[in-house]
Each structure stands twice: as structure tokens, then as C-alpha cells.
Amino acid sequence: MSFSGLGEVVMNTKVGPEHFLMRVYVPQLTKLAKPGRFVHIRCSSGMDPLLRRPISLHGIDYGKGTISLLYQVVGTGTRMLAEMSPGDGIDLMGPLGNGFTIPDGINKALVVGGGIGVAPLFPLVQSLKHYGIEQTVLLGARSAAFVIGREQLESLGVKVKIATDDGSFGYQGFVTGLAEDVIPAAKPDYFFACGPYPMLKGLISLTKGFGLSGQVSLEEYMGCGVGACLACVCKNRTGGGTEQPASAGGFEYKKVCTDGPVFEASEVILDD
Amino acid sequence: MTNPADNLTDRQAGSQGVNLSVNLGGLQMKNPVTTASGTFGFGPEYAPYVDLNRLGAITVKGTTLEPRKGNPTPRIAETPAGILNCIGLQNPGVDHFIREDLPYLRNYDTPVIVNIAGNSLDDYAEVTRRLSGAQGVSALEVNISCPNVKQGGMVFGTDCMMAAEVIRVVRENTTLPLIAKLSPNVTDIVEIAGRVAEAGADALALINTLLGMKIDIRSRKPFLGNIMGGLSGPAIRPVAVRMVWQAAQAVRLPILGMGGIMNAEDAIEFILAGATAVAVGTANFVNPAATMDIITGIQQYMRDNGITDINDLVGAAWK
């Protein structure tokens, strides 16, 4: 099941140097929403930009029939989104893709977000809290100004630690470095992550060293969003996670839009 | 909410008022609208948005003898009013298609056009034989024009003799309607259209994507994983209309026109240029119900202009 049609923008506010938070009233879509799924938005009513933009669900209010989207202005499409006002109609498809699943038996989760990758982690953090799973959230950003959502996460009562590339806030360095420091003490038994590929790649390698399994949410240039065009693919290990080098042909391309965007961390092969 | 009774009235007016059905080289279609190969998966992907029974035909993703992994990413780049893609014919292979995907399509009262590609003449022959024996395949669209695979694909499509040879081999192995999908990346579309017609094609499909590329000025390297890609979308429409216009007048075969069709007006433009049917591709990504809107829009255009048979519009711009 998936909705395609118009929602109504009820809020669109600047929340960071390049970041906006939009809330959309679209009850038919909201009722199908789950953490980790995304919506595919037509930003222009004209022909440029032509393609829709996939934006992950940042907040879901089943009662009010609204979803919220936390996005960073990175190009023409997202700039057009940022210019929308309350009352405007917005053309959306969704929710699309497979979201996060919370495995049975986990007690302590490590949640890691890098850059705008924090966006889909909020509804996940709420779900984890709902199930009574203890969690440590690590956020990585370029600098203090680019740290988004710390207060909101803390207000949910979860532990948040920050890493900034320039050291202007919290740990100085990449969030993977912070994770390396945190894991031995926090002793998580599972992890969830979303962020740029180098971060995910580092984190997958790090967590493997600790024997920790988890899920990652991927991002890729996308066409249709429904699994038809095969544009947004990622390399996936074949044969149930066995170690085969990609050069030996031990991978297949899976669709980020419909097989993901959330994958088991052990399945994905991220190139440099 | 639409009143079901209104809907019924609309349908009756649609079927009684105007004739939308066309014959594309032996393939009977209830209306002239199909999907462009590679933009519609194998059908179920768009079922939540499209009534597959309303389509004139469903053209599925390019199929090869063996499974293909496809090209590295990025596989898609946006350009002004267009997209470049270099998917590289990723597909599970013809046997998998027949076993896993075709049964689903048999649930619908819509003919299925299977797009086929190969590395060699033997590949084309074998894929043709396997599909010809499969229940639920209504026509073959022979891809001699994919710009994104190293062997075959466009290599066949840009060489007149090779293109004709592929069509001849497919023809020898099937009695299904055979649609030759031509590459626009040629000096003379009319010459190649003539050759594939002589070789036994029942219809022509044009155009496939235009070869293009994009360079990332930050990395100073080609953007696409396969360096070059095929340009589609409204950006290429005038080129496609021109080629349909030329081929339709030069060759006595029905044409499946495509290239940047976004709405009914665009579709009608292709029909006036000489296309008997049209395929909707990139538009599906923008508006998942584009095909439905186009069928409705063509009907409306015909009513508004007092046209009772869509066939009267085919090539009307030059007839």
C-alpha cells in the first residue's frame, strides 16, 4: 500500500544553517508510516528539476495525520522545498521502502547519525524508547552549528554524545572515533545508523570488530522510488553474508528504494 | 470522491464515443499507450498507482539470456528537463522472467511486450525462442540500441548491417509481432529503419535514449558510474518527434513513438508525426499515474476535436 497525491504543508521552518523542518498533513500516508521509510517528493510542478526527491520520515504523528521531514538544502530540489509555505499543496508518494526493524531480545542499542543522516533516527529512537530499550545516540557533524536535534533527543530522555569534525562541540573527529570510545563502556548489543557512506563503512568495520550486528539506512541517487528503474542500487553480499570479494562476483545489486533503504549492516558492501 | 456512476458513464462514452484501439504490427492494443522498457519494471512496481488493465500494453524491463548485474553507481543524473541513466540492463535473465514475473502479468487483460537484448546473435536467437514458447508474451521489442552495455546494444543499433542481422535472426525464431527499437545515435535514422524493415520487423520503436554525459566539477571526473549514459525526458522530445516524422514517411511500418512524453499533448504530437502507439518512460518517475492521465487526455482531445478514431490522427501532420 502506498499513497500518491497531495498533502498540505502545515509548517516549514529553518532549524539549522542549511536545515529545514517541514510538517505535512497527509493522513492517508501517515497511517502507513514507519520509522526508516521515506516519501518521494515532487519539488517542482515544472520540468526542472524533473525527478522527485526521496526524503526520510523524521516524525510521524498518527493522531494528527502528519509527518515531518528534516532536510538539508543541497540543491535545486531541496531549495524549492525550503521555499514552500504553510497552506501549500505538496505532491508526495509514500511511504516507500522498508524501515528499521527492532529485533527481539535486544536491550541496549547504539544509534549513530552523521550529518543529515540523523533525520530518520528520531522515530526509531522513539520506537526503541517505547519498547524500553536502553540507547546511546551518537551524532556526528561538521561543526557545532551543524548538530541538529540534540535537545529534542535529550528531551526524550536518551543519552546523546556529539562528535564534530572541527572539535567545536563534543568529541573532536569523526563519529566513528567517538563510537570506538563509547562501545566498550556502553556495551550495546545492537546498532542502527544513517549517514554518509564513509561513516557507515567505518562504522560497519568497527562494529564487526566488536561482534556487533546492526542495520544501516542508505541513500543513493534515485529515480522511480518504487523498484522499477534500478537506478538506486547498492552492492549486497550474496550467499547469506559470506565473505566473498566483490571482484569475485560475490555480490548483487539490490534496490535502495524497495529492498532498503534499511539493510542489515553485514549484507552491504560500500565502495570508497 | 468520484461517483461510480460517473465513472461508468465516462467509460461508456470512452468506448462508444471514440475508438482508441490500434494495431501495432499485429499487436492489438485497446489504446495506443504503453510503457517504455526499463521505466516500469515488470509491472507490479506500478500496480499501486496504475490500473494495469487500462494500459494499451505493458513493456517490461530489458531481458537477456543470462542475468546481468548492471553498471556501478551512480546510475542516474539529472539534467535540465531530463535524466541521464546508465543502468546497464540489470535483469534476472530470461528464464527467471518467464518463471517469476510473467505469471503475474497473465492476471491482466493487457498484452505484454518483452524487450530483449543480447551480446551476440546467438543470444538474441535463444532469448527469442524461449520467450516465443512462453504463455503471456504478446510481442517482442528488440533492443538494438541500448547505449549502456559494452557489447551488443547500441553497437548493433548504430551499424545498419548488424541491426538488420539481429532482426533477421529474431524473425527466424518467432512468429510474435516484432518491434525493432532503434537508436537515435545514428547519422541517418531512415536508412537503418529501412534495413530493419527489410529484415522482417513488424514495427519500429523510436527513440531509445541519446548518448550523453555529465562531469562533476568538484571531483573533476565523470559523474556516472559508466561514464556515459542515455538521455531521456522532455529534453529529447523534439529530436524524437523529428525522427518519428522522418521514419514514418520513409518506411511502411507502424511506429511506437517515445522520447520525453509527459502528458497527452506530447503523446498526440508523436501520433501526428506518424506514431501508431506511444510509450511513456521517464514521466512514470515524475507522475506514477502518467500513463492513466495520458489515456484520459487523448480521449478528451479526441472528443474536443470531433475525432472518432485515433487512427485518423496517425501521421496527420504530413498526410
Side-chain angles (χ1 to χ4, degrees):
Chain A
M1 276 294 289
S2 181
F3 168 84
S4 174
L6 289 181
E8 184 192 338
V9 176
V10 291
M11 184 193 89
N12 195 19
T13 311
K14 195 164 195 230
V15 294
E18 299 170 356
H19 306 72
F20 286 77
L21 180 64
M22 179 187 280
R23 189 163 295 132
V24 181
Y25 175 70
V26 57
Q28 305 98 306
L29 187 154
T30 305
K31 69 182 180 196
L32 305 166
K34 267 186 61 184
R37 303 192 76 186
F38 69 95
V39 291
H40 214 20
I41 302 179
R42 190 169 176 194
C43 303
S44 160
S45 55
M47 300 296 173
D48 197 15
L50 191 58
L51 292 173
R52 289 169 178 266
R53 295 291 185 270
I55 309 268
S56 60
L57 295 170
H58 174 65
I60 305 163
D61 191 328
Y62 297 105
K64 292 196 173 114
T66 61
I67 52 164
S68 58
L69 310 168
L70 174 66
Y71 60 97
Q72 187 171 5
V73 174
V74 291
T76 320
T78 41
R79 198 171 307 123
M80 285 174 147
L81 277 188
E83 285 163 5
M84 298 190 83
S85 306
D88 287 350
I90 181 169
D91 183 345
L92 326 115
M93 289 169 72
L96 300 173
N98 292 305
F100 293 104
T101 46
I102 299 174
D104 289 338
I106 67 166
N107 297 307
K108 276 186 183 176
L110 180 72
V111 180
V112 186
I116 194 62
V118 306
L121 300 177
F122 278 65
L124 170 73
V125 166
Q126 283 173 320
S127 283
L128 290 169
K129 188 175 148 72
H130 174 78
Y131 289 112
I133 295 160
E134 201 182 310
Q135 51 189 320
T136 302
V137 180
L138 310 182
L139 301 182
R142 213 183 297 178
S143 65
F146 282 78
V147 178
I148 305 292
R150 182 176 62 93
E151 295 84 359
Q152 293 92 312
L153 286 168
E154 281 173 348
S155 73
L156 291 172
V158 295
K159 279 170 285 186
V160 182
K161 293 188 175 186
I162 308 292
T164 52
D165 299 355
D166 66 358
S168 53
F169 195 100
Y171 174 91
Q172 180 176 357
F174 294 139
V175 72
T176 42
L178 177 60
E180 193 170 4
D181 285 358
V182 165
I183 291 171
K187 293 188 173 58
D189 51 17
Y190 203 78
F191 80 95
F192 299 91
C194 183
Y197 279 16
M199 173 203 121
L200 293 179
K201 197 177 158 93
L203 193 69
I204 289 168
S205 151
L206 176 74
T207 49
K208 199 174 161 192
F210 284 103
L212 200 56
S213 51
Q215 292 164 34
V216 293
S217 178
L218 303 184
E219 193 175 36
E220 186 53 72
Y221 293 100
M222 196 174 281
C224 67
V226 298
C229 76
L230 309 180
C232 64
V233 294
C234 81
K235 285 184 183 170
N236 211 278
R237 276 177 230 287
T238 51
T242 53
E243 283 290 315
Q244 285 175 291
S247 57
F251 74 92
E252 62 177 325
Y253 282 113
K254 285 209 169 179
K255 304 174 233 184
V256 170
C257 62
T258 51
D259 294 321
V262 178
F263 291 93
E264 291 286 332
S266 59
E267 281 179 16
V268 300
I269 302 169
L270 301 175
D271 294 328
D272 291 320
Chain B
M1 281 299 287
T2 313
N3 183 331
D6 291 346
N7 204 355
L8 189 66
T9 317
D10 180 59
R11 285 233 179 132
Q12 283 171 346
S15 56
Q16 290 171 5
V18 296
N19 174 47
L20 280 174
S21 68
V22 296
N23 188 304
L24 184 73
L27 176 70
Q28 193 60 41
M29 297 167 66
K30 55 185 164 263
N31 64 60
V33 179
T34 185
T35 54
S37 176
T39 66
F40 208 72
F42 293 115
E45 294 88 345
Y46 275 97
Y49 314 100
V50 166
D51 177 359
L52 298 179
N53 277 320
R54 263 190 87 196
L55 287 168
I58 297 172
T59 308
V60 299
K61 173 76 188 162
T63 305
T64 53
L65 187 57
E66 302 294 337
R68 294 254 183 119
K69 272 193 162 68
N71 287 327
T73 56
R75 289 178 170 187
I76 192 166
E78 228 169 1
T79 67
I83 52 175
L84 283 164
N85 89 80
C86 61
I87 309 302
L89 286 178
Q90 180 178 340
N91 82 93
V94 67
D95 292 336
H96 184 277
F97 166 73
I98 291 170
R99 198 173 60 242
E100 304 294 332
D101 303 302
L102 197 52
Y104 171 85
L105 292 168
R106 286 200 288 263
N107 295 325
Y108 294 92
D109 180 28
T110 297
V112 174
I113 302 172
V114 182
N115 180 288
I116 61 169
N119 285 338
S120 65
L121 292 173
D122 289 346
D123 280 9
Y124 278 102
E126 187 56 33
V127 170
T128 300
R129 281 194 289 271
R130 293 191 194 180
L131 287 166
S132 297
Q135 190 202 339
V137 176
S138 310
L140 299 180
E141 181 183 67
V142 187
N143 183 352
I144 47 172
S145 48
C146 181
N148 296 324
V149 289
K150 285 194 183 71
Q151 292 170 294
M154 202 174 79
V155 178
F156 289 125
T158 52
D159 178 315
C160 283
M161 298 315 288
M162 282 305 295
E165 198 56 16
V166 172
I167 297 303
R168 190 186 58 74
V169 163
V170 174
R171 178 78 290 163
E172 280 170 2
N173 286 284
T174 190
T175 54
L176 289 169
L178 191 171
I179 307 162
K181 186 166 183 179
L182 304 184
S183 170
N185 305 301
V186 294
T187 311
D188 185 356
I189 195 75
V190 166
E191 187 189 355
I192 206 154
R195 297 291 178 131
V196 300
E198 286 165 19
D202 298 308
L204 304 175
L206 60 150
I207 59 175
N208 206 322
T209 53
L210 282 161
L211 193 60
M213 77 179 284
K214 175 181 174 127
I215 295 169
D216 182 341
I217 63 164
R218 277 172 293 189
S219 69
R220 302 180 191 170
K221 298 285 178 203
F223 178 86
L224 290 171
N226 200 43
I227 301 175
M228 289 179 241
L231 182 64
S232 65
I236 72 166
R237 201 176 69 237
V239 177
V241 170
R242 183 266 295 179
M243 287 189 163
V244 168
W245 163 277
Q246 288 179 311
Q249 292 178 68
V251 180
R252 299 170 73 89
L253 286 183
I255 289 176
L256 175 59
M258 68 191 82
I261 295 174
M262 300 302 287
N263 52 44
E265 288 78 6
D266 298 344
I268 291 160
E269 195 183 352
F270 275 82
I271 293 168
L272 293 170
T276 295
V278 294
V280 178
T282 302
N284 295 309
F285 306 164
V286 181
N287 169 14
T291 46
M292 301 293 102
D293 295 350
I294 290 170
I295 294 165
T296 306
I298 292 173
Q299 263 176 345
Q300 192 58 48
Y301 174 87
M302 290 172 68
R303 288 202 203 101
D304 291 349
N305 292 277
I307 311 285
T308 52
D309 187 346
I310 187 78
N311 294 285
D312 294 342
L313 289 177
V314 177
W318 50 266
K319 275 179 181 165

